[in-house]
Amino acid sequence: MLTLREKYYDFDQISSKVFKCRRDDQFFTMKIVSILNEENQANNGVPYWIIREISILKELDHINIVRLIDVMTDGPDLFLVFEYLDNEFQADFLKNPKMFMYPQMKKEFLYQILNTVAYLHARKILLRDLRPENILVNVRTQVLKIALFGAARTFEAPLEAYSSSVGCLSYRSPEVLFQFGCEKYSTPNDVWAVGCIFGEMLLHRPLFSGPSDVELLDEIFTLLGTPTEETWPGVTSICGTCALMGPPQQPKDLAKEFPMLNPDGLDLLSKMLCLCPNYRISAEDAVKHPYFKGV
Amino acid sequence: MEFDLEDPLVSLEEEQTFTISELFASESEHVPSPNCLTSTHFRVFCCEAISLILQVQVSCKLDPFVAYLAINYLHRFMSSQEIPQGKPWFLRLVVISCLSLASKMKNTTLSFLVIQKEGCYFKAQSIQRMELLILGALKWRMRSITPFSFLHFFISLAEIKDQSLKQALKSRASEIIFNAQNDIKLLEYKPSTVAATALIFASHELFPQQYSILRASITASEYLDGETLSKCFDLMQDMMRMEAKELMIDTSFLSTETPVSMLERNTKRQRI
């Protein structure tokens, strides 16, 4: 078995724990993950979240997912070897100005995101934390890549630490926001996140940006209306207190909020941002939506 | 990211066919390599290790699926290694590490302190090193494809309408699969074959009238080889008979009848 430095060489640091490296003619991105816990003790062995995430990534083979090619160990560190994405791939794709110049590009990228989510859901894999920072795009080739492992978060932090981060709230679904503290994710939450990203592509700003659960819910209900037992059966039992609901609000006209969007697009957006998770469109159905005709 | 271990498939609509075929295509990578099955050392080592795993499962009240997964890791790992001689601690360390990894995949992390109460005294650092060794040998593919992954698919082929009937069938088939893990001979068969066989047995036990329909729909599946299925069926049948015999022997202690009186009863029956 070749050691790390025998197998890979020409290391070039990209950031504190990320390197570009080479083997033969191919370049790779290598990320270092420490498996010691906060007290530098191996008190319960390899952390479960690392095993689970790597195990998932090892299974995935999709053009729109950054591929994990190799895993090597050296003492208390793991070295994750990913496919290399050259400078043409821009991180945090919604900050790329070209995104807003070509409407067709938005549709193409939205389709690729949904196709990827459908691929993952077919394997009973949930993203839970999909947001623009995790998405890279190459506007020349119009290929999008989702980085599933550690692209935008510190490698040492376990997943739970990120679940409570304020920065992640913008793409969280109402059913998840309602149960803060005990997140029960499922596939509709990922679709909601894609809906938020879709809206953000159109408006050039996050659709919802409140700094807390309560403020986010208020923004959501301001746009989409306060849910009722009729629009969301079971909602009163989900939200613990009526305070989360706020005063009843009527939904706004999405056509006026998104004037640049055609009727098919409005239909898709409204279905992805359906308040009731059971009624929300699935990723599998979304990729077949008429909005994507011709993609 | 999160996922469901027992059921990698979300739905079984026709559009999902690629995923089903993908599952069948991948399953060979989640079984031990064929060469080891003829090795006496491998069999002896694994039998002893499985016995210890099941012992820990009972005393620590682990989810049966955790034990099942741990046994899968054990088989895959040991089939890629040489069995070390003269290191009695090795077996225990492998067992603990496999159980630890399986519980982590099941998201019910098992504290090393709990395991140590079962007489397995190893430093956390040693267990971690063994965990990394196993992870590397299994290429970090810890979401094993097991027979449980296929039950839903095969049941759907029979087009059973009754949901409670489906559930009973799945439960009994799962029980058969759990019980079958003791026999190392089953390692020769792919998880899908084991799943199909267990379902056929379960349907015969629970719903004899549905049996022929289910058997026909399963054996018609393009993913299964009829001859292999038949051999697996024979093996499982032998296992079931052995199980029945053991039950008979066990329950004989509960009988108040002596062998003599049983003999007399048989004699009377013959006279009539």
Side-chain angles (χ1 to χ4, degrees), chain B residues 52-110:
Chain B
L52 185 53
I53 287 174
L54 296 177
Q55 181 184 308
V56 173
Q57 180 201 328
V58 171
S59 52
C60 295
K61 293 169 186 168
L62 296 181
D63 183 331
F65 190 80
V66 169
Y68 195 92
L69 200 55
I71 290 168
N72 177 272
Y73 295 161
L74 169 79
H75 286 145
R76 287 166 61 196
F77 176 62
M78 294 314 302
S79 72
S80 69
Q81 312 284 309
E82 289 205 12
I83 311 290
Q85 304 299 316
K87 291 180 179 175
W89 53 265
F90 182 78
L91 182 142
R92 287 181 166 260
L93 184 54
V94 170
V95 163
I96 295 164
S97 302
C98 287
L99 277 166
S100 176
L101 292 170
S103 67
K104 287 169 181 175
M105 284 303 288
K106 187 61 181 167
N107 213 3
T108 57
T109 300
L110 180 63

Side-chain angles (χ1 to χ4, degrees), chain A residues 210-234:
Chain A
S212 73
D213 304 45
V214 176
E215 281 155 297
L216 261 188
L217 284 167
D218 183 61
E219 285 183 40
I220 291 170
F221 299 154
T222 297
L223 178 68
L224 302 168
T226 305
T228 65
E229 278 294 325
E230 186 181 339
T231 61
W232 182 346

Side-chain angles (χ1 to χ4, degrees), chain B residues 162-190:
Chain B
D162 190 332
Q163 287 299 324
S164 60
L165 193 148
K166 276 195 202 177
Q167 190 54 46
L169 198 56
K170 192 174 181 184
S171 295
R172 179 54 186 148
S174 297
E175 192 182 346
I176 291 169
I177 292 166
F178 278 126
N179 292 336
Q181 66 188 341
N182 293 315
D183 198 320
I184 216 158
K185 292 193 194 106
L186 268 185
L187 290 182
E188 294 176 36
Y189 301 97
K190 290 194 268 184

Side-chain angles (χ1 to χ4, degrees), chain A residues 10-79:
Chain A
D10 287 356
F11 288 91
D12 191 11
Q13 190 158 16
I14 296 173
S15 65
S16 64
K17 289 181 184 276
V18 183
F19 294 82
K20 179 186 175 185
C21 62
R22 191 161 66 90
R23 180 178 71 194
D24 303 327
D25 294 335
Q26 250 185 308
F27 287 104
F28 302 93
T29 303
M30 187 176 285
K31 300 183 178 179
I32 305 174
V33 180
S34 175
I35 55 180
L36 296 181
N37 66 6
E38 285 151 14
E39 293 92 42
N40 282 337
Q41 300 291 322
N43 66 349
N44 222 68
V46 183
Y48 79 94
W49 66 271
I50 286 179
I51 299 172
R52 287 166 65 90
E53 292 223 354
I54 293 177
S55 186
I56 292 171
L57 283 170
K58 270 308 202 107
E59 282 181 34
L60 301 177
D61 184 8
H62 192 283
I63 188 176
N64 298 121
I65 296 171
V66 180
R67 271 189 65 217
L68 174 63
I69 291 162
D70 201 3
V71 182
M72 303 190 79
T73 59
D74 187 344
D77 292 326
L78 287 183
F79 296 83

